Amino acid sequence: TKAIITCRPEYLDAQAKTLLGPNVSDVLGSQLMEWFVAPFKREQISTYLNNPEESVAISDATKSEMGVKAKEQDDFLTANRALLELLSTPLLLKIFVGAFPHLKEKFKSESNTLFSRGDLYHAFLEEWFRREEKKLVDSEGKPIPELKEAFAEFSQTLAFEMFKKKVNQVMYNGPTTRKRYGRYAEGQAADTNPWSEWFSNNDAEVMKARRGCPLRVVGGTTFSF
């Protein structure tokens, strides 16, 4: 018996039979069953927030600090029922944990805010860009002008292009000519590979902007959000 467990079923639309094995016959394929995990209950969300990954070794002091943070997150959800109702899957709950610092600051200044899924994604990206900006600035030892803007532009233009092409993943094996994206595109040569403007390593500015994009990389040649 083989099983695929995912909170991103859109990735399996055309691949499920292949992932279960290269020799799945049509007869066997017709016997495949699809099950759906029920949305998280309130107590399950609290359990998730209060339990770090078991594989990570942490000190008692860190455990205590994480416990305080988890209670703060749990209390925040209690005060924001609309946001709580969104956190029904592992992916959205993980995004909430990453976005929490930004959401907390926004709630301080706009206490009547009713958070939407769009607010959750926006807060997650703001926190992601902030962390990646700090890493890059620390590594280079100097401020980098408009870095967060470059991260955002790169991510937005790539996401929109993937949306237009109706793909969830990008396969990239190399460019044929040099090309830039967005505001850097003027005067550059055309490229027969449509993804080179995001994944070519021929342009230092593009490579720097790509470092801030929340991409998953598989095998060095497959990319997805």
Side-chain angles (χ1 to χ4, degrees):
T1 300
K2 293 184 178 181
I4 300 173
I5 301 174
T6 180
C7 57
R8 295 183 177 186
E10 64 273 14
Y11 283 81
L12 303 179
D13 288 348
Q15 304 178 49
K17 284 172 58 176
T18 302
L19 291 172
L20 286 169
N23 300 310
V24 177
S25 66
D26 290 338
V27 174
L28 182 57
S30 67
Q31 298 174 357
L32 297 178
M33 299 181 67
E34 196 171 24
W35 295 76
F36 295 90
V37 178
F40 279 144
K41 297 178 181 178
R42 181 65 177 93
E43 57 269 25
Q44 291 175 313
I45 292 175
S46 296
T47 299
Y48 180 97
L49 295 175
N50 282 280
N51 286 275
E53 296 182 18
E54 294 181 1
S55 60
V56 179
I58 55 177
S59 66
D60 289 340
T62 301
K63 285 182 181 179
S64 177
E65 181 181 335
M66 292 176 71
V68 171
K69 183 177 180 180
K71 185 179 186 309
E72 186 180 15
Q73 292 170 342
D74 208 281
D75 291 345
F76 184 85
L77 290 177
T78 299
N80 292 273
R81 303 298 299 182
L83 180 59
L84 176 61
E85 291 174 4
L86 291 174
L87 306 184
S88 58
T89 68
L91 177 61
L92 288 173
L93 191 49
K94 184 175 182 179
I95 286 175
F96 164 73
V97 171
F100 180 66
H102 189 84
L103 291 170
K104 183 173 65 172
E105 289 303 313
K106 182 174 182 179
F107 189 67
K108 283 181 181 178
S109 59
E110 304 173 33
S111 58
N112 294 323
T113 298
L114 293 177
F115 292 103
S116 66
R117 185 177 296 219
D119 292 323
L120 185 61
Y121 291 151
H122 176 75
F124 170 76
L125 287 173
E126 283 294 314
E127 276 301 305
W128 183 284
F129 293 155
R130 183 189 63 78
R131 289 194 301 269
E132 295 306 310
E133 179 183 40
K134 185 178 185 306
K135 289 179 187 177
L136 195 52
V137 168
D138 288 349
S139 69
E140 297 200 4
K142 61 182 180 180
I144 304 173
E146 300 184 349
L147 186 56
K148 278 182 65 177
E149 290 81 358
F151 289 166
E153 183 180 352
F154 182 96
S155 302
Q156 289 167 358
T157 55
L158 174 58
F160 187 57
E161 190 65 22
M162 292 173 68
F163 172 76
K164 288 195 299 182
K165 288 183 166 54
K166 299 180 179 180
V167 297
N168 295 314
Q169 300 182 90
V170 172
M171 294 286 296
Y172 181 75
N173 293 311
T176 55
T177 60
R178 189 179 180 209
K179 187 178 180 182
R180 290 180 167 185
Y181 70 93
R183 59 185 171 184
Y184 306 112
E186 190 173 337
Q188 298 296 325
D191 193 328
T192 57
N193 188 325
W195 302 109
S196 289
E197 55 186 295
W198 293 278
F199 297 108
S200 170
N201 290 329
N202 292 332
D203 192 304
E205 293 298 316
V206 172
M207 292 175 64
K208 189 178 296 182
R210 188 169 64 235
R211 286 184 60 174
C213 187
L215 288 170
R216 292 175 63 250
V217 184
V218 180
T221 57
T222 302
F223 303 86
S224 66
F225 284 101

